[in-house]
Amino acid sequence: MSISNETLASLVRPDGVHKSVYTDPEIFELEMKRIYGQAWIYVGHESQVKNPGDYHTTRLGDQDVVMVRASNGQIHVVYNRCPHKGAKVVPEGDGTTGKFFRCPYHAWTFKLDGTHLSAPLKNGLQNTCFDATHPEFSMRKLARVSVYRGFVFASQAADGSDLKSFLNGVTSSIDNLCDRSPLGEVEVAGGVFRVLQRSNWKVFYENLHDTMHAPVTHESSVVSARSQAEQLNSLPFELLIMEGNGEPYEFWEKLALRAYENGHGYMEGIFDPNAAERDPVSSAHFASLTEAYGVERSREILGMNRHNTVIYGSGSPHTVFQQFRVIRPLSVDRTLVEIQLFKLRGAPDAVFERAMTYANVINSPSSNVMPDDVEVYARCQEGNLTNGGDWVSMHRYAGTDVVVEDGMVSINGTSELPMRNQFVAWKRFMLNATDAAKGTE
């Protein structure tokens, strides 16, 4: 790579970034090595590989990987490559490979941890330097794999901070998502939405906590929801979650924004958390939690009101509506977003049905809301390719962020603190200044 660390450092200011961080293919390639090649990245949930031999394929940066459960119950993550000719061993998606992996090209087989098992007509390999026990002839495992409450993360770096240290305070969002189950467990269910965005991967992370865009970008869906509610003379759930984006700026200014190290953070929820004992679905959910945890603890769980959490490099869990938007960069101007929906084990079926409604109305490719975001992301990508200017502003409430343990909080809910915090992490990764990035180029 020809981009020096000095040049990279100059691209990030305290109150803005150079547009090339979104548009330069060479910077994107460096990100795949220095961020996605080093940090802990979400692979999938253990419920996606319930039985031995079950696998789930995904990407960590620009690398195709396979999460698989072995016969002893342990979860492994291996690169999706046969060491013979380099063919992908399993197709994209979820499936079951049985007791071992078998390459579809020449039938080389591998144990579920990737270790070489066998190859046809081994006599043809005799009297050569072929050694079945050599790592060169096995499917390569990722350096580190760790599971936090069923959520599987992997790092391609041999050294670095442990998963919990890397996640820092956002473990509380994962905890809250799981604690909303009377059994303390969740599982992926209901299928997965996939949205291809014509924009750089970092744009979506920034937008997740961008409270200024909601009443503007989503104006058409807000107007439609209010018009329909007026005709119905009521505001059913489907319209409520669309209409919520239309709150006045005074509402957004009062929301809390929390930033943690490594680019993580969360935005306070925009829907009333005190509905737990009012509407029928929430009331039934509250009752099931009360039986498991007691009244005080149940109110504490449901009272943790977070809209979007950012796990930088992985995506965004939404605790209230039980989903994880997994963000996968494909190229400098293409990003794949997969929306995984979670079922709260032991909770009433209506709770999961409500989460499915939210995902369909708000996040699906055919919703009235998601296309608004996808359109403006593409416009950002296209606009930053013009000669109309070189810098992207992140000035809102810059210099006012309050430093607290493990990060910062904003003094105003419309602050661009989250964006600034993400680029503090970006710069540290790209300059190899974090524990997770030590020893890279």
Side-chain angles (χ1 to χ4, degrees), residues 45 63-64 74 107-108 124 156 158 212 244 277 280 285 306 316 322 335 345-346 355 397 409 413:
H45 191 267
Q63 300 296 307
D64 291 310
Q74 186 174 354
W108 280 35
Q156 298 183 71
M212 289 292 292
E277 298 167 70
H285 187 195
R306 296 182 182 178
S316 177
Q322 305 146 229
T335 302
R345 294 192 60 206
Y397 289 98
V409 294

Side-chain angles (χ1 to χ4, degrees), residues 323-381:
Q323 63 177 242
F324 198 132
R325 282 184 279 181
V326 185
I327 304 173
R328 301 298 190 210
L330 301 180
S331 66
V332 70
D333 60 356
R334 291 292 185 275
T335 302
L336 178 66
V337 179
E338 296 184 341
I339 299 97
Q340 296 178 354
L341 196 61
F342 289 86
K343 189 171 186 178
L344 309 178
R345 294 192 60 206
D349 291 341
V351 177
F352 179 62
E353 292 168 3
R354 181 175 62 183
M356 289 186 68
T357 298
Y358 182 88
N360 275 279
V361 172
I362 303 298
N363 299 131
S364 76
S366 59
S367 77
N368 290 328
V369 179
M370 171 68 81
D372 294 336
D373 289 317
V374 174
E375 172 66 18
V376 295
Y377 301 160
R379 292 195 188 192
C380 289
Q381 196 70 29

Side-chain angles (χ1 to χ4, degrees), residues 82-94:
C82 175
H84 180 210
K85 293 293 184 181
K88 280 188 176 181
V89 177
V90 296
E92 181 180 335
D94 295 357

